[in-house]
Amino acid sequence: MNFNNKIEKIGIVFAMKGEALPTIQHFKLERIKGNYPIELYGNAENKIVVSLNGTCSVTGVDNVGTQPATLNTYVLINEVNPDIIINAGTAGGFAHSGAKIGDVYIGSNRVVYHDRRIPLPNFDTYGIGNYELINTDFLAERIGLKQGIISTGNSLDHVDRDMQLMNQNNASLKDMEAASVAWVCQLMNKLFIPIKSVTDIVDSGIPTEIEFKANFKLATQNLNLKLIHLIDFIYQKSLEEIVSSKK
Ligand code: ADE
């Protein structure tokens, strides 16, 4: 990765169409090519491309989760070859780390999994993932974002063992895509930034689905405001500039 190259093409991976619509509308993006079920929306010369996980042909719901997000990221990179991949979406936050409904976070340090438990030598480490992120301090400060470690799994709710692993890995956020997007970006040598807005408090004791539905609109509004700001901010900047704390 060349630290001096300007970022000219930005790809944004979303799981849910409802999370992405304000950004698609703001940048006047139009549907472009894409392999089923992935949906790509781009502007002139595909400088900004939003890529959705698409919908399940059986149930009609968004294809949330790690498998569609992996495919989505691969298709986006293959078709458009962006300089940077942003994974935007909603997440659960932890009260014990100060998360509030509607807060918007940028991932920091690393992204992990909490539901890939493989208690065999080296497979245990593989299961956690531990995908390293660039230093996001400067972006967090300039855009006004909280920072935290994101932990990914394939369930909206959690069992006790998930909670133990999330605590062990110092997670501040729980989502269903970031680690799988990070993995593909690592394999394909792409700069990666996750940005997530809090719909529910994982350690509140309230059923996740109730908080998720009640707060989805607010979290999506906040997410899109910050995401648009982030895109405008990093466009035409170099990696050196976006990680710099001096500018
Ligand atoms: N998306 C929004 N809230 C979530 C949660 N608690 N877990 C996983 N994904 C989420």
Side-chain angles (χ1 to χ4, degrees), residues 6 8 20 32 54-55 62 76 87 94-95 110 138 140 160 170-171 179 184 186 204 210-211:
K6 292 283 179 204
E8 290 173 355
I32 52 170
T55 49
D62 296 297
L76 172 63
N87 172 220
F94 288 84
R110 60 190 190 276
F138 176 57
D160 290 349
N170 295 319
V184 181
Q186 188 183 76
S204 67
I210 291 180
E211 285 197 310

PDB file of all heavy atoms in Angstrom, residues 6 8 20 32 54-55 62 76 87 94-95 110 138 140 160 170-171 179 184 186 204 210-211:
ATOM      1  N   LYS A   6      -3.266   9.386  -3.557  1.00  0.00           N
ATOM      2  CA  LYS A   6      -4.550   9.987  -3.161  1.00  0.00           C
ATOM      3  C   LYS A   6      -5.670   8.954  -3.272  1.00  0.00           C
ATOM      4  O   LYS A   6      -5.632   8.069  -4.127  1.00  0.00           O
ATOM      5  CB  LYS A   6      -4.896  11.157  -4.087  1.00  0.00           C
ATOM      6  CG  LYS A   6      -3.981  12.358  -3.933  1.00  0.00           C
ATOM      7  CD  LYS A   6      -4.309  13.155  -2.695  1.00  0.00           C
ATOM      8  CE  LYS A   6      -3.364  14.343  -2.558  1.00  0.00           C
ATOM      9  NZ  LYS A   6      -3.231  14.826  -1.201  1.00  0.00           N
ATOM     10  N   GLU A   8      -9.003   8.134  -4.612  1.00  0.00           N
ATOM     11  CA  GLU A   8      -9.849   8.659  -5.697  1.00  0.00           C
ATOM     12  C   GLU A   8     -11.151   7.887  -5.831  1.00  0.00           C
ATOM     13  O   GLU A   8     -12.121   8.389  -6.381  1.00  0.00           O
ATOM     14  CB  GLU A   8      -9.083   8.627  -7.020  1.00  0.00           C
ATOM     15  CG  GLU A   8      -7.971   9.645  -7.012  1.00  0.00           C
ATOM     16  CD  GLU A   8      -7.067   9.566  -8.220  1.00  0.00           C
ATOM     17  OE1 GLU A   8      -7.232   8.653  -9.034  1.00  0.00           O
ATOM     18  OE2 GLU A   8      -6.188  10.432  -8.316  1.00  0.00           O
ATOM     19  N   ALA A  20     -28.443   2.310   3.919  1.00  0.00           N
ATOM     20  CA  ALA A  20     -27.643   2.953   2.864  1.00  0.00           C
ATOM     21  C   ALA A  20     -28.377   4.034   2.081  1.00  0.00           C
ATOM     22  O   ALA A  20     -27.728   4.874   1.445  1.00  0.00           O
ATOM     23  CB  ALA A  20     -27.176   1.871   1.885  1.00  0.00           C
ATOM     24  N   ILE A  32     -25.562   0.249 -10.802  1.00  0.00           N
ATOM     25  CA  ILE A  32     -24.643  -0.184 -11.855  1.00  0.00           C
ATOM     26  C   ILE A  32     -24.572  -1.707 -11.821  1.00  0.00           C
ATOM     27  O   ILE A  32     -25.333  -2.344 -11.097  1.00  0.00           O
ATOM     28  CB  ILE A  32     -23.237   0.465 -11.699  1.00  0.00           C
ATOM     29  CG1 ILE A  32     -22.673   0.250 -10.286  1.00  0.00           C
ATOM     30  CG2 ILE A  32     -23.288   1.946 -12.038  1.00  0.00           C
ATOM     31  CD1 ILE A  32     -21.213   0.657 -10.135  1.00  0.00           C
ATOM     32  N   GLY A  54     -27.609  -7.189  -0.692  1.00  0.00           N
ATOM     33  CA  GLY A  54     -28.738  -7.678  -1.483  1.00  0.00           C
ATOM     34  C   GLY A  54     -29.809  -8.342  -0.628  1.00  0.00           C
ATOM     35  O   GLY A  54     -29.702  -8.389   0.606  1.00  0.00           O
ATOM     36  N   THR A  55     -30.839  -8.865  -1.300  1.00  0.00           N
ATOM     37  CA  THR A  55     -31.957  -9.460  -0.552  1.00  0.00           C
ATOM     38  C   THR A  55     -32.030 -10.970  -0.762  1.00  0.00           C
ATOM     39  O   THR A  55     -31.641 -11.484  -1.812  1.00  0.00           O
ATOM     40  CB  THR A  55     -33.309  -8.814  -0.958  1.00  0.00           C
ATOM     41  OG1 THR A  55     -33.383  -8.809  -2.381  1.00  0.00           O
ATOM     42  CG2 THR A  55     -33.439  -7.400  -0.455  1.00  0.00           C
ATOM     43  N   ASP A  62     -33.040  -8.372   3.870  1.00  0.00           N
ATOM     44  CA  ASP A  62     -31.643  -8.085   3.534  1.00  0.00           C
ATOM     45  C   ASP A  62     -30.767  -9.274   3.931  1.00  0.00           C
ATOM     46  O   ASP A  62     -30.945  -9.864   5.007  1.00  0.00           O
ATOM     47  CB  ASP A  62     -31.148  -6.852   4.305  1.00  0.00           C
ATOM     48  CG  ASP A  62     -31.887  -5.584   3.910  1.00  0.00           C
ATOM     49  OD1 ASP A  62     -31.793  -5.181   2.751  1.00  0.00           O
ATOM     50  OD2 ASP A  62     -32.559  -5.007   4.800  1.00  0.00           O
ATOM     51  N   LEU A  76     -17.322  -6.062  -4.942  1.00  0.00           N
ATOM     52  CA  LEU A  76     -17.032  -4.614  -5.030  1.00  0.00           C
ATOM     53  C   LEU A  76     -15.583  -4.374  -5.468  1.00  0.00           C
ATOM     54  O   LEU A  76     -15.317  -3.568  -6.366  1.00  0.00           O
ATOM     55  CB  LEU A  76     -17.310  -3.961  -3.660  1.00  0.00           C
ATOM     56  CG  LEU A  76     -16.897  -2.504  -3.489  1.00  0.00           C
ATOM     57  CD1 LEU A  76     -17.657  -1.583  -4.441  1.00  0.00           C
ATOM     58  CD2 LEU A  76     -17.157  -2.046  -2.039  1.00  0.00           C
ATOM     59  N   ASN A  87     -16.863  -0.034   5.712  1.00  0.00           N
ATOM     60  CA  ASN A  87     -18.042  -0.848   6.054  1.00  0.00           C
ATOM     61  C   ASN A  87     -18.903  -0.023   6.996  1.00  0.00           C
ATOM     62  O   ASN A  87     -18.481   0.310   8.105  1.00  0.00           O
ATOM     63  CB  ASN A  87     -17.632  -2.173   6.703  1.00  0.00           C
ATOM     64  CG  ASN A  87     -18.813  -2.957   7.251  1.00  0.00           C
ATOM     65  OD1 ASN A  87     -18.735  -3.546   8.324  1.00  0.00           O
ATOM     66  ND2 ASN A  87     -19.919  -2.979   6.538  1.00  0.00           N
ATOM     67  N   PHE A  94     -21.867  -1.251  24.053  1.00  0.00           N
ATOM     68  CA  PHE A  94     -21.794  -1.724  25.442  1.00  0.00           C
ATOM     69  C   PHE A  94     -21.888  -0.549  26.411  1.00  0.00           C
ATOM     70  O   PHE A  94     -21.081   0.376  26.338  1.00  0.00           O
ATOM     71  CB  PHE A  94     -20.485  -2.483  25.687  1.00  0.00           C
ATOM     72  CG  PHE A  94     -20.460  -3.828  25.029  1.00  0.00           C
ATOM     73  CD1 PHE A  94     -20.105  -3.951  23.701  1.00  0.00           C
ATOM     74  CD2 PHE A  94     -20.831  -4.966  25.737  1.00  0.00           C
ATOM     75  CE1 PHE A  94     -20.103  -5.191  23.078  1.00  0.00           C
ATOM     76  CE2 PHE A  94     -20.831  -6.207  25.136  1.00  0.00           C
ATOM     77  CZ  PHE A  94     -20.464  -6.324  23.803  1.00  0.00           C
ATOM     78  N   ALA A  95     -22.865  -0.622  27.317  1.00  0.00           N
ATOM     79  CA  ALA A  95     -23.024   0.436  28.326  1.00  0.00           C
ATOM     80  C   ALA A  95     -21.745   0.573  29.139  1.00  0.00           C
ATOM     81  O   ALA A  95     -21.310   1.687  29.452  1.00  0.00           O
ATOM     82  CB  ALA A  95     -24.197   0.109  29.243  1.00  0.00           C
ATOM     83  N   ARG A 110      -8.428  -3.119  16.162  1.00  0.00           N
ATOM     84  CA  ARG A 110      -8.599  -4.363  15.413  1.00  0.00           C
ATOM     85  C   ARG A 110     -10.075  -4.752  15.390  1.00  0.00           C
ATOM     86  O   ARG A 110     -10.882  -4.191  16.141  1.00  0.00           O
ATOM     87  CB  ARG A 110      -7.780  -5.480  16.054  1.00  0.00           C
ATOM     88  CG  ARG A 110      -8.165  -5.755  17.465  1.00  0.00           C
ATOM     89  CD  ARG A 110      -7.181  -6.698  18.143  1.00  0.00           C
ATOM     90  NE  ARG A 110      -7.700  -7.122  19.432  1.00  0.00           N
ATOM     91  CZ  ARG A 110      -7.580  -6.429  20.551  1.00  0.00           C
ATOM     92  NH1 ARG A 110      -6.947  -5.268  20.554  1.00  0.00           N
ATOM     93  NH2 ARG A 110      -8.089  -6.867  21.679  1.00  0.00           N
ATOM     94  N   PHE A 138      -7.070  10.331  14.204  1.00  0.00           N
ATOM     95  CA  PHE A 138      -7.216  11.611  13.518  1.00  0.00           C
ATOM     96  C   PHE A 138      -8.618  11.737  12.916  1.00  0.00           C
ATOM     97  O   PHE A 138      -9.295  12.767  13.072  1.00  0.00           O
ATOM     98  CB  PHE A 138      -6.134  11.708  12.430  1.00  0.00           C
ATOM     99  CG  PHE A 138      -6.212  12.939  11.585  1.00  0.00           C
ATOM    100  CD1 PHE A 138      -6.167  14.204  12.152  1.00  0.00           C
ATOM    101  CD2 PHE A 138      -6.308  12.833  10.203  1.00  0.00           C
ATOM    102  CE1 PHE A 138      -6.232  15.345  11.354  1.00  0.00           C
ATOM    103  CE2 PHE A 138      -6.370  13.967   9.408  1.00  0.00           C
ATOM    104  CZ  PHE A 138      -6.336  15.222   9.979  1.00  0.00           C
ATOM    105  N   ALA A 140     -11.334  10.138  13.863  1.00  0.00           N
ATOM    106  CA  ALA A 140     -12.303  10.203  14.960  1.00  0.00           C
ATOM    107  C   ALA A 140     -12.403  11.634  15.488  1.00  0.00           C
ATOM    108  O   ALA A 140     -13.507  12.153  15.707  1.00  0.00           O
ATOM    109  CB  ALA A 140     -11.884   9.255  16.084  1.00  0.00           C
ATOM    110  N   ASP A 160     -24.248 -16.367  26.529  1.00  0.00           N
ATOM    111  CA  ASP A 160     -23.252 -15.993  27.560  1.00  0.00           C
ATOM    112  C   ASP A 160     -21.817 -16.106  27.048  1.00  0.00           C
ATOM    113  O   ASP A 160     -20.967 -15.273  27.340  1.00  0.00           O
ATOM    114  CB  ASP A 160     -23.416 -16.871  28.809  1.00  0.00           C
ATOM    115  CG  ASP A 160     -24.694 -16.538  29.554  1.00  0.00           C
ATOM    116  OD1 ASP A 160     -25.309 -15.496  29.220  1.00  0.00           O
ATOM    117  OD2 ASP A 160     -25.095 -17.323  30.442  1.00  0.00           O
ATOM    118  N   ASN A 170     -12.144  -6.993  24.648  1.00  0.00           N
ATOM    119  CA  ASN A 170     -12.360  -5.549  24.868  1.00  0.00           C
ATOM    120  C   ASN A 170     -13.253  -4.902  23.820  1.00  0.00           C
ATOM    121  O   ASN A 170     -13.005  -3.762  23.398  1.00  0.00           O
ATOM    122  CB  ASN A 170     -11.022  -4.788  24.890  1.00  0.00           C
ATOM    123  CG  ASN A 170     -10.181  -5.207  26.057  1.00  0.00           C
ATOM    124  OD1 ASN A 170     -10.708  -5.383  27.157  1.00  0.00           O
ATOM    125  ND2 ASN A 170      -8.889  -5.395  25.826  1.00  0.00           N
ATOM    126  N   ALA A 171     -14.285  -5.622  23.390  1.00  0.00           N
ATOM    127  CA  ALA A 171     -15.166  -5.063  22.358  1.00  0.00           C
ATOM    128  C   ALA A 171     -16.020  -3.930  22.917  1.00  0.00           C
ATOM    129  O   ALA A 171     -16.522  -3.997  24.041  1.00  0.00           O
ATOM    130  CB  ALA A 171     -16.068  -6.156  21.807  1.00  0.00           C
ATOM    131  N   ALA A 179     -15.808  -7.908  10.596  1.00  0.00           N
ATOM    132  CA  ALA A 179     -14.626  -8.782  10.542  1.00  0.00           C
ATOM    133  C   ALA A 179     -14.525  -9.486   9.183  1.00  0.00           C
ATOM    134  O   ALA A 179     -13.417  -9.705   8.678  1.00  0.00           O
ATOM    135  CB  ALA A 179     -14.662  -9.811  11.669  1.00  0.00           C
ATOM    136  N   VAL A 184     -11.495  -9.811   3.848  1.00  0.00           N
ATOM    137  CA  VAL A 184     -11.339  -9.698   2.388  1.00  0.00           C
ATOM    138  C   VAL A 184     -10.399  -8.536   2.056  1.00  0.00           C
ATOM    139  O   VAL A 184      -9.555  -8.650   1.161  1.00  0.00           O
ATOM    140  CB  VAL A 184     -12.711  -9.530   1.682  1.00  0.00           C
ATOM    141  CG1 VAL A 184     -12.519  -9.439   0.175  1.00  0.00           C
ATOM    142  CG2 VAL A 184     -13.636 -10.686   2.024  1.00  0.00           C
ATOM    143  N   GLN A 186      -7.969  -7.467   3.860  1.00  0.00           N
ATOM    144  CA  GLN A 186      -6.602  -7.917   4.159  1.00  0.00           C
ATOM    145  C   GLN A 186      -6.077  -8.799   3.017  1.00  0.00           C
ATOM    146  O   GLN A 186      -4.958  -8.618   2.543  1.00  0.00           O
ATOM    147  CB  GLN A 186      -6.607  -8.691   5.478  1.00  0.00           C
ATOM    148  CG  GLN A 186      -5.240  -9.044   5.997  1.00  0.00           C
ATOM    149  CD  GLN A 186      -5.349  -9.865   7.271  1.00  0.00           C
ATOM    150  OE1 GLN A 186      -5.661 -11.060   7.234  1.00  0.00           O
ATOM    151  NE2 GLN A 186      -5.126  -9.241   8.409  1.00  0.00           N
ATOM    152  N   SER A 204     -27.804  -4.164  28.192  1.00  0.00           N
ATOM    153  CA  SER A 204     -28.899  -3.428  28.852  1.00  0.00           C
ATOM    154  C   SER A 204     -29.913  -4.366  29.505  1.00  0.00           C
ATOM    155  O   SER A 204     -30.691  -3.939  30.361  1.00  0.00           O
ATOM    156  CB  SER A 204     -29.648  -2.572  27.822  1.00  0.00           C
ATOM    157  OG  SER A 204     -30.331  -3.406  26.898  1.00  0.00           O
ATOM    158  N   ILE A 210     -35.975  -5.530  20.186  1.00  0.00           N
ATOM    159  CA  ILE A 210     -36.886  -4.428  20.554  1.00  0.00           C
ATOM    160  C   ILE A 210     -36.149  -3.097  20.417  1.00  0.00           C
ATOM    161  O   ILE A 210     -36.640  -2.151  19.782  1.00  0.00           O
ATOM    162  CB  ILE A 210     -37.435  -4.651  21.984  1.00  0.00           C
ATOM    163  CG1 ILE A 210     -38.371  -5.856  21.943  1.00  0.00           C
ATOM    164  CG2 ILE A 210     -38.143  -3.399  22.511  1.00  0.00           C
ATOM    165  CD1 ILE A 210     -38.989  -6.212  23.266  1.00  0.00           C
ATOM    166  N   GLU A 211     -34.947  -3.029  20.980  1.00  0.00           N
ATOM    167  CA  GLU A 211     -34.166  -1.785  20.875  1.00  0.00           C
ATOM    168  C   GLU A 211     -33.774  -1.517  19.426  1.00  0.00           C
ATOM    169  O   GLU A 211     -33.778  -0.372  18.976  1.00  0.00           O
ATOM    170  CB  GLU A 211     -32.902  -1.883  21.736  1.00  0.00           C
ATOM    171  CG  GLU A 211     -33.176  -1.754  23.222  1.00  0.00           C
ATOM    172  CD  GLU A 211     -31.907  -1.431  24.002  1.00  0.00           C
ATOM    173  OE1 GLU A 211     -30.886  -2.131  23.814  1.00  0.00           O
ATOM    174  OE2 GLU A 211     -31.954  -0.490  24.806  1.00  0.00           O
TER     175      GLU A 211
END
